[in-house]
Amino acid sequence: MPRPTLRLAAVGVAFLISAGALSACGANDAQSGGDSAGGNDNPTIALLLPESKTTRYEAFDRPLFEKKVAELCADCNVVYYTADQDEAKQSQQVDTAISEGANVLVLDPVNGAGAGGMVQSAHDADAKVIAYDRLIKEADYYMSFDNETVGKMQAEALVEAMGDKGNILMLNGAPSDPNAAQFKAGAHSVLDKSNVKILEEYDNPDWSPENAQTFVTDMLSKYDADQINGVYAANDGQAGGVVAALTGGGVAADALPPITGQDAEVAAIQRILAGEQSMTIYKPIPIEADTAAEVAVALAKGDDVPTKSATGIEQSDYEDVTSYIFTPIVVTKDNVKDTVIADGFYTAADICTGEYAKACQAAGIS
Ligand code: GAL
């Protein structure tokens, strides 16, 4: 079920909205009157995210996007939906958003290749579509981190941590997620040239930690734990499942092999500091959410879309879609402080809870 509509202009801040801001919106509306995607007095922007098991969506993408839209357009409404990894549900949510009057859809598809029909429905209703984080070839705009580089960075870190020898298990993301294929291709481009051997490879149908745990538990009945010298996990959620399976299978927490991840989830940063995960990929989500909000508001108001975003990213072409591509960052124990903490993505208090206080201290985080 869709969550209730959040009327941003009414979040108790009416008195803060300056006359200037109001007249700016009014002027834009007037200029764009009759424009297909704009010219609306109260533009509605739909944010449609794929799932909520990965913490980034509810903890970062959604609140950051809503905040930025509110900042840029006091009269804009944001309607939010999560698809819970269900493609049919997402398709219904798109229809609902359109019927609620959304003239811009910021769509992070469960299935990128299958989302063309949703874009068509939006276009039929004169609404624009921004493919958010995952490519939809039919979309009007696309924005994401450089996903192939993400896969390369993960694999390079893993090969290095393993001294370029030994065996790994490889856990990829959901085949329906176009990013998963890009992470996988990037990782293979490094692994296939290395001396590391892939024992078994698994495409996790929904990215879930539970499936990752089950897969590795099954592998432990096929291989001895000491034959598994490293694990490529495409994201932190799966890395968590891998750690649970290995420790559940008798591997001591301080004897875990190098394990990769992605998303810089709090639990992953804690594992990295505790020596239970070797790295993660930090995607500074504010840059992505803010750019999406900026483009969405411009489209909703019928304004020109910036060729260079306020976040400093130049438009480029990715598979013939006008795109904004951001740079991912590797995080290991050595740079937690200089990355996620320095950026204010997390405070020390978020990370240094209970049993992790000591590891934080050792890493100079307080
Ligand atoms: C990808 C996304 C990643 C991550 C993954 C699931 O599409 O780019 O950041 O959320 O899904 O962890």
Side-chain angles (χ1 to χ4, degrees):
M1 282 299 284
R3 311 254 168 138
T5 300
L6 177 65
R7 182 139 176 102
L8 291 164
V11 194
V13 291
F15 63 98
L16 288 175
I17 300 167
S18 71
L22 282 173
S23 65
C25 259
N28 289 324
D29 288 351
Q31 270 167 19
S32 62
D35 194 305
S36 57
N40 206 316
D41 279 346
N42 299 109
T44 295
I45 298 169
L47 176 66
L48 299 115
L49 298 181
E51 48 113 343
S52 52
K53 281 190 183 168
T54 302
T55 57
R56 60 169 283 182
Y57 298 116
E58 305 269 336
F60 291 101
D61 295 276
R62 177 189 181 186
L64 288 168
F65 178 82
E66 289 176 342
K67 182 164 169 261
K68 196 66 184 180
V69 170
E71 223 173 277
L72 296 174
C73 177
D75 289 340
C76 288
N77 296 326
V78 172
V79 286
Y80 169 72
Y81 307 85
T82 178
D84 295 320
Q85 197 60 34
D86 179 339
E87 198 183 338
K89 183 170 175 178
Q90 189 164 56
S91 173
Q92 276 169 9
Q93 292 173 336
V94 164
D95 292 342
T96 306
I98 294 169
S99 69
E100 282 180 354
N103 48 359
V104 180
L105 270 58
V106 177
L107 175 58
D108 190 338
V110 173
N111 180 351
M118 299 183 212
V119 175
Q120 192 55 53
S121 306
H123 285 170
D124 289 348
D126 280 338
K128 299 279 189 203
V129 179
I130 300 171
Y132 183 75
D133 202 64
R134 300 179 184 173
L135 182 66
I136 308 170
K137 288 189 177 144
E138 298 82 357
D140 302 291
Y141 294 90
Y142 167 58
M143 60 195 63
S144 190
F145 289 85
D146 180 341
N147 294 311
E148 206 152 317
T149 297
V150 168
K152 278 189 195 154
M153 286 170 153
Q154 292 170 319
E156 278 162 2
L158 183 62
V159 170
E160 194 189 320
M162 293 174 65
D164 195 14
K165 58 177 189 300
N167 306 318
I168 63 164
L169 298 176
M170 184 167 190
L171 289 86
N172 302 303
S176 58
D177 174 355
N179 292 359
Q182 293 167 342
F183 303 143
K184 184 174 167 177
H188 267 290
S189 74
V190 173
L191 294 171
D192 297 351
K193 278 191 297 207
S194 78
N195 295 311
V196 164
K197 183 173 164 236
I198 301 169
L199 285 177
E200 307 266 353
E201 184 165 1
Y202 172 61
D203 291 346
N204 186 334
D206 63 1
W207 283 106
S208 70
E210 296 82 5
N211 283 343
Q213 182 170 353
T214 304
F215 169 73
V216 175
T217 303
D218 288 350
M219 290 300 108
L220 285 173
S221 60
K222 198 165 167 189
Y223 300 96
D224 286 342
D226 60 10
Q227 283 177 279
I228 301 166
N229 313 113
V231 181
Y232 170 92
N235 71 331
D236 290 335
Q238 295 195 91
V242 171
V243 170
L246 290 174
T247 51
V251 180
D254 60 3
L256 286 163
I259 301 167
T260 63
Q262 169 180 194
D263 286 335
E265 293 192 352
V266 170
I269 300 293
Q270 291 174 329
R271 285 193 297 268
I272 288 172
L273 292 173
E276 295 172 7
Q277 182 174 327
S278 45
M279 60 86 70
T280 185
I281 297 288
Y282 164 46
K283 296 168 161 182
I285 297 169
I287 197 175
E288 190 173 27
D290 286 2
T291 308
E294 188 188 359
V295 174
V297 166
L299 289 169
K301 293 206 260 176
D303 289 348
D304 287 343
V305 170
T307 52
K308 183 175 179 181
S309 69
T311 48
I313 306 298
E314 299 273 3
Q315 264 180 7
S316 55
D317 245 35
Y318 188 85
E319 305 235 4
D320 291 333
V321 187
T322 306
S323 300
Y324 301 83
I325 305 292
F326 318 109
T327 308
I329 298 165
V330 173
V331 176
T332 62
K333 204 183 252 185
D334 293 340
N335 69 349
V336 168
K337 196 176 169 186
D338 299 333
T339 53
V340 288
I341 301 269
D343 275 13
F345 197 68
Y346 296 127
T347 62
D350 293 331
I351 295 168
C352 306
T353 53
E355 57 179 308
Y356 298 101
K358 241 174 114 185
C360 274
Q361 217 174 20
I365 298 166
S366 57

PDB file of all heavy atoms in Angstrom, residues 157-179:
ATOM      1  N   ALA A 157      40.074  -4.841  -4.128  1.00  0.00           N
ATOM      2  CA  ALA A 157      40.323  -4.881  -2.682  1.00  0.00           C
ATOM      3  C   ALA A 157      40.400  -6.328  -2.193  1.00  0.00           C
ATOM      4  O   ALA A 157      41.233  -6.669  -1.351  1.00  0.00           O
ATOM      5  CB  ALA A 157      39.225  -4.125  -1.943  1.00  0.00           C
ATOM      6  N   LEU A 158      39.534  -7.176  -2.751  1.00  0.00           N
ATOM      7  CA  LEU A 158      39.507  -8.575  -2.312  1.00  0.00           C
ATOM      8  C   LEU A 158      40.800  -9.295  -2.719  1.00  0.00           C
ATOM      9  O   LEU A 158      41.431  -9.972  -1.904  1.00  0.00           O
ATOM     10  CB  LEU A 158      38.292  -9.288  -2.909  1.00  0.00           C
ATOM     11  CG  LEU A 158      38.089 -10.736  -2.486  1.00  0.00           C
ATOM     12  CD1 LEU A 158      37.865 -10.840  -0.965  1.00  0.00           C
ATOM     13  CD2 LEU A 158      36.891 -11.364  -3.215  1.00  0.00           C
ATOM     14  N   VAL A 159      41.193  -9.125  -3.980  1.00  0.00           N
ATOM     15  CA  VAL A 159      42.403  -9.784  -4.478  1.00  0.00           C
ATOM     16  C   VAL A 159      43.609  -9.332  -3.651  1.00  0.00           C
ATOM     17  O   VAL A 159      44.444 -10.133  -3.236  1.00  0.00           O
ATOM     18  CB  VAL A 159      42.608  -9.487  -5.990  1.00  0.00           C
ATOM     19  CG1 VAL A 159      43.974  -9.953  -6.460  1.00  0.00           C
ATOM     20  CG2 VAL A 159      41.505 -10.148  -6.808  1.00  0.00           C
ATOM     21  N   GLU A 160      43.626  -8.046  -3.366  1.00  0.00           N
ATOM     22  CA  GLU A 160      44.755  -7.523  -2.582  1.00  0.00           C
ATOM     23  C   GLU A 160      44.750  -8.109  -1.170  1.00  0.00           C
ATOM     24  O   GLU A 160      45.782  -8.573  -0.676  1.00  0.00           O
ATOM     25  CB  GLU A 160      44.681  -5.996  -2.531  1.00  0.00           C
ATOM     26  CG  GLU A 160      45.994  -5.396  -2.040  1.00  0.00           C
ATOM     27  CD  GLU A 160      45.886  -3.903  -1.769  1.00  0.00           C
ATOM     28  OE1 GLU A 160      45.226  -3.203  -2.561  1.00  0.00           O
ATOM     29  OE2 GLU A 160      46.454  -3.461  -0.757  1.00  0.00           O
ATOM     30  N   ALA A 161      43.574  -8.123  -0.538  1.00  0.00           N
ATOM     31  CA  ALA A 161      43.499  -8.654   0.835  1.00  0.00           C
ATOM     32  C   ALA A 161      43.872 -10.130   0.875  1.00  0.00           C
ATOM     33  O   ALA A 161      44.344 -10.635   1.898  1.00  0.00           O
ATOM     34  CB  ALA A 161      42.096  -8.438   1.397  1.00  0.00           C
ATOM     35  N   MET A 162      43.670 -10.842  -0.228  1.00  0.00           N
ATOM     36  CA  MET A 162      43.979 -12.285  -0.269  1.00  0.00           C
ATOM     37  C   MET A 162      45.389 -12.556  -0.786  1.00  0.00           C
ATOM     38  O   MET A 162      45.768 -13.725  -0.961  1.00  0.00           O
ATOM     39  CB  MET A 162      42.969 -12.996  -1.181  1.00  0.00           C
ATOM     40  CG  MET A 162      41.557 -12.993  -0.618  1.00  0.00           C
ATOM     41  SD  MET A 162      40.376 -13.687  -1.809  1.00  0.00           S
ATOM     42  CE  MET A 162      40.936 -15.375  -1.924  1.00  0.00           C
ATOM     43  N   GLY A 163      46.153 -11.499  -1.063  1.00  0.00           N
ATOM     44  CA  GLY A 163      47.496 -11.701  -1.590  1.00  0.00           C
ATOM     45  C   GLY A 163      47.473 -12.382  -2.953  1.00  0.00           C
ATOM     46  O   GLY A 163      48.392 -13.130  -3.306  1.00  0.00           O
ATOM     47  N   ASP A 164      46.416 -12.146  -3.715  1.00  0.00           N
ATOM     48  CA  ASP A 164      46.249 -12.702  -5.066  1.00  0.00           C
ATOM     49  C   ASP A 164      46.406 -14.223  -5.110  1.00  0.00           C
ATOM     50  O   ASP A 164      47.028 -14.773  -6.035  1.00  0.00           O
ATOM     51  CB  ASP A 164      47.218 -12.013  -6.049  1.00  0.00           C
ATOM     52  CG  ASP A 164      46.826 -12.287  -7.508  1.00  0.00           C
ATOM     53  OD1 ASP A 164      45.685 -12.764  -7.728  1.00  0.00           O
ATOM     54  OD2 ASP A 164      47.647 -12.038  -8.406  1.00  0.00           O
ATOM     55  N   LYS A 165      45.822 -14.895  -4.130  1.00  0.00           N
ATOM     56  CA  LYS A 165      45.796 -16.367  -4.190  1.00  0.00           C
ATOM     57  C   LYS A 165      44.630 -16.898  -3.352  1.00  0.00           C
ATOM     58  O   LYS A 165      44.100 -16.176  -2.504  1.00  0.00           O
ATOM     59  CB  LYS A 165      47.132 -16.947  -3.717  1.00  0.00           C
ATOM     60  CG  LYS A 165      47.546 -16.568  -2.318  1.00  0.00           C
ATOM     61  CD  LYS A 165      48.843 -17.283  -1.960  1.00  0.00           C
ATOM     62  CE  LYS A 165      49.220 -17.133  -0.505  1.00  0.00           C
ATOM     63  NZ  LYS A 165      49.425 -15.757  -0.051  1.00  0.00           N
ATOM     64  N   GLY A 166      44.231 -18.147  -3.614  1.00  0.00           N
ATOM     65  CA  GLY A 166      43.178 -18.784  -2.830  1.00  0.00           C
ATOM     66  C   GLY A 166      41.841 -18.827  -3.562  1.00  0.00           C
ATOM     67  O   GLY A 166      41.730 -18.429  -4.722  1.00  0.00           O
ATOM     68  N   ASN A 167      40.831 -19.328  -2.840  1.00  0.00           N
ATOM     69  CA  ASN A 167      39.497 -19.559  -3.421  1.00  0.00           C
ATOM     70  C   ASN A 167      38.466 -18.610  -2.827  1.00  0.00           C
ATOM     71  O   ASN A 167      38.533 -18.290  -1.644  1.00  0.00           O
ATOM     72  CB  ASN A 167      39.021 -20.981  -3.085  1.00  0.00           C
ATOM     73  CG  ASN A 167      40.030 -22.021  -3.501  1.00  0.00           C
ATOM     74  OD1 ASN A 167      40.612 -21.936  -4.584  1.00  0.00           O
ATOM     75  ND2 ASN A 167      40.251 -22.998  -2.624  1.00  0.00           N
ATOM     76  N   ILE A 168      37.497 -18.262  -3.654  1.00  0.00           N
ATOM     77  CA  ILE A 168      36.412 -17.405  -3.127  1.00  0.00           C
ATOM     78  C   ILE A 168      35.035 -17.966  -3.488  1.00  0.00           C
ATOM     79  O   ILE A 168      34.882 -18.745  -4.425  1.00  0.00           O
ATOM     80  CB  ILE A 168      36.489 -15.954  -3.661  1.00  0.00           C
ATOM     81  CG1 ILE A 168      36.297 -15.906  -5.194  1.00  0.00           C
ATOM     82  CG2 ILE A 168      37.779 -15.284  -3.261  1.00  0.00           C
ATOM     83  CD1 ILE A 168      35.980 -14.506  -5.712  1.00  0.00           C
ATOM     84  N   LEU A 169      34.056 -17.507  -2.717  1.00  0.00           N
ATOM     85  CA  LEU A 169      32.652 -17.631  -3.108  1.00  0.00           C
ATOM     86  C   LEU A 169      32.262 -16.251  -3.629  1.00  0.00           C
ATOM     87  O   LEU A 169      32.737 -15.240  -3.116  1.00  0.00           O
ATOM     88  CB  LEU A 169      31.782 -17.992  -1.903  1.00  0.00           C
ATOM     89  CG  LEU A 169      32.090 -19.328  -1.217  1.00  0.00           C
ATOM     90  CD1 LEU A 169      31.207 -19.482   0.032  1.00  0.00           C
ATOM     91  CD2 LEU A 169      31.866 -20.495  -2.185  1.00  0.00           C
ATOM     92  N   MET A 170      31.407 -16.232  -4.636  1.00  0.00           N
ATOM     93  CA  MET A 170      31.011 -14.947  -5.213  1.00  0.00           C
ATOM     94  C   MET A 170      29.498 -14.795  -5.134  1.00  0.00           C
ATOM     95  O   MET A 170      28.758 -15.606  -5.697  1.00  0.00           O
ATOM     96  CB  MET A 170      31.495 -14.885  -6.659  1.00  0.00           C
ATOM     97  CG  MET A 170      31.234 -13.561  -7.333  1.00  0.00           C
ATOM     98  SD  MET A 170      32.151 -13.433  -8.892  1.00  0.00           S
ATOM     99  CE  MET A 170      31.887 -11.694  -9.252  1.00  0.00           C
ATOM    100  N   LEU A 171      29.038 -13.771  -4.412  1.00  0.00           N
ATOM    101  CA  LEU A 171      27.601 -13.528  -4.259  1.00  0.00           C
ATOM    102  C   LEU A 171      27.247 -12.214  -4.940  1.00  0.00           C
ATOM    103  O   LEU A 171      27.653 -11.131  -4.490  1.00  0.00           O
ATOM    104  CB  LEU A 171      27.215 -13.453  -2.783  1.00  0.00           C
ATOM    105  CG  LEU A 171      27.254 -14.769  -2.001  1.00  0.00           C
ATOM    106  CD1 LEU A 171      28.661 -15.031  -1.456  1.00  0.00           C
ATOM    107  CD2 LEU A 171      26.271 -14.736  -0.844  1.00  0.00           C
ATOM    108  N   ASN A 172      26.505 -12.325  -6.025  1.00  0.00           N
ATOM    109  CA  ASN A 172      26.102 -11.147  -6.785  1.00  0.00           C
ATOM    110  C   ASN A 172      24.706 -10.685  -6.372  1.00  0.00           C
ATOM    111  O   ASN A 172      24.016 -11.356  -5.618  1.00  0.00           O
ATOM    112  CB  ASN A 172      26.112 -11.480  -8.280  1.00  0.00           C
ATOM    113  CG  ASN A 172      27.480 -11.951  -8.725  1.00  0.00           C
ATOM    114  OD1 ASN A 172      28.478 -11.242  -8.558  1.00  0.00           O
ATOM    115  ND2 ASN A 172      27.555 -13.164  -9.269  1.00  0.00           N
ATOM    116  N   GLY A 173      24.303  -9.542  -6.948  1.00  0.00           N
ATOM    117  CA  GLY A 173      22.976  -9.021  -6.635  1.00  0.00           C
ATOM    118  C   GLY A 173      21.886  -9.637  -7.485  1.00  0.00           C
ATOM    119  O   GLY A 173      22.112 -10.602  -8.223  1.00  0.00           O
ATOM    120  N   ALA A 174      20.697  -9.060  -7.393  1.00  0.00           N
ATOM    121  CA  ALA A 174      19.518  -9.597  -8.077  1.00  0.00           C
ATOM    122  C   ALA A 174      19.653  -9.448  -9.589  1.00  0.00           C
ATOM    123  O   ALA A 174      19.932  -8.350 -10.083  1.00  0.00           O
ATOM    124  CB  ALA A 174      18.282  -8.851  -7.592  1.00  0.00           C
ATOM    125  N   PRO A 175      19.436 -10.519 -10.339  1.00  0.00           N
ATOM    126  CA  PRO A 175      19.541 -10.439 -11.801  1.00  0.00           C
ATOM    127  C   PRO A 175      18.597  -9.394 -12.425  1.00  0.00           C
ATOM    128  O   PRO A 175      18.881  -8.875 -13.497  1.00  0.00           O
ATOM    129  CB  PRO A 175      19.165 -11.846 -12.268  1.00  0.00           C
ATOM    130  CG  PRO A 175      19.443 -12.723 -11.107  1.00  0.00           C
ATOM    131  CD  PRO A 175      19.186 -11.893  -9.885  1.00  0.00           C
ATOM    132  N   SER A 176      17.503  -9.078 -11.752  1.00  0.00           N
ATOM    133  CA  SER A 176      16.580  -8.076 -12.310  1.00  0.00           C
ATOM    134  C   SER A 176      17.119  -6.649 -12.147  1.00  0.00           C
ATOM    135  O   SER A 176      16.627  -5.727 -12.782  1.00  0.00           O
ATOM    136  CB  SER A 176      15.224  -8.183 -11.614  1.00  0.00           C
ATOM    137  OG  SER A 176      15.401  -7.991 -10.221  1.00  0.00           O
ATOM    138  N   ASP A 177      18.110  -6.473 -11.297  1.00  0.00           N
ATOM    139  CA  ASP A 177      18.678  -5.146 -11.042  1.00  0.00           C
ATOM    140  C   ASP A 177      19.831  -4.909 -12.012  1.00  0.00           C
ATOM    141  O   ASP A 177      20.849  -5.602 -11.947  1.00  0.00           O
ATOM    142  CB  ASP A 177      19.167  -5.097  -9.583  1.00  0.00           C
ATOM    143  CG  ASP A 177      19.916  -3.801  -9.242  1.00  0.00           C
ATOM    144  OD1 ASP A 177      20.135  -2.977 -10.144  1.00  0.00           O
ATOM    145  OD2 ASP A 177      20.280  -3.646  -8.058  1.00  0.00           O
ATOM    146  N   PRO A 178      19.681  -3.957 -12.923  1.00  0.00           N
ATOM    147  CA  PRO A 178      20.756  -3.739 -13.902  1.00  0.00           C
ATOM    148  C   PRO A 178      22.091  -3.401 -13.255  1.00  0.00           C
ATOM    149  O   PRO A 178      23.147  -3.712 -13.805  1.00  0.00           O
ATOM    150  CB  PRO A 178      20.247  -2.568 -14.749  1.00  0.00           C
ATOM    151  CG  PRO A 178      19.120  -1.968 -13.998  1.00  0.00           C
ATOM    152  CD  PRO A 178      18.557  -3.017 -13.106  1.00  0.00           C
ATOM    153  N   ASN A 179      22.050  -2.780 -12.080  1.00  0.00           N
ATOM    154  CA  ASN A 179      23.310  -2.479 -11.395  1.00  0.00           C
ATOM    155  C   ASN A 179      24.055  -3.754 -11.045  1.00  0.00           C
ATOM    156  O   ASN A 179      25.285  -3.815 -11.095  1.00  0.00           O
ATOM    157  CB  ASN A 179      23.064  -1.720 -10.083  1.00  0.00           C
ATOM    158  CG  ASN A 179      22.530  -0.326 -10.324  1.00  0.00           C
ATOM    159  OD1 ASN A 179      22.357   0.075 -11.464  1.00  0.00           O
ATOM    160  ND2 ASN A 179      22.277   0.393  -9.260  1.00  0.00           N
TER     161      ASN A 179
END
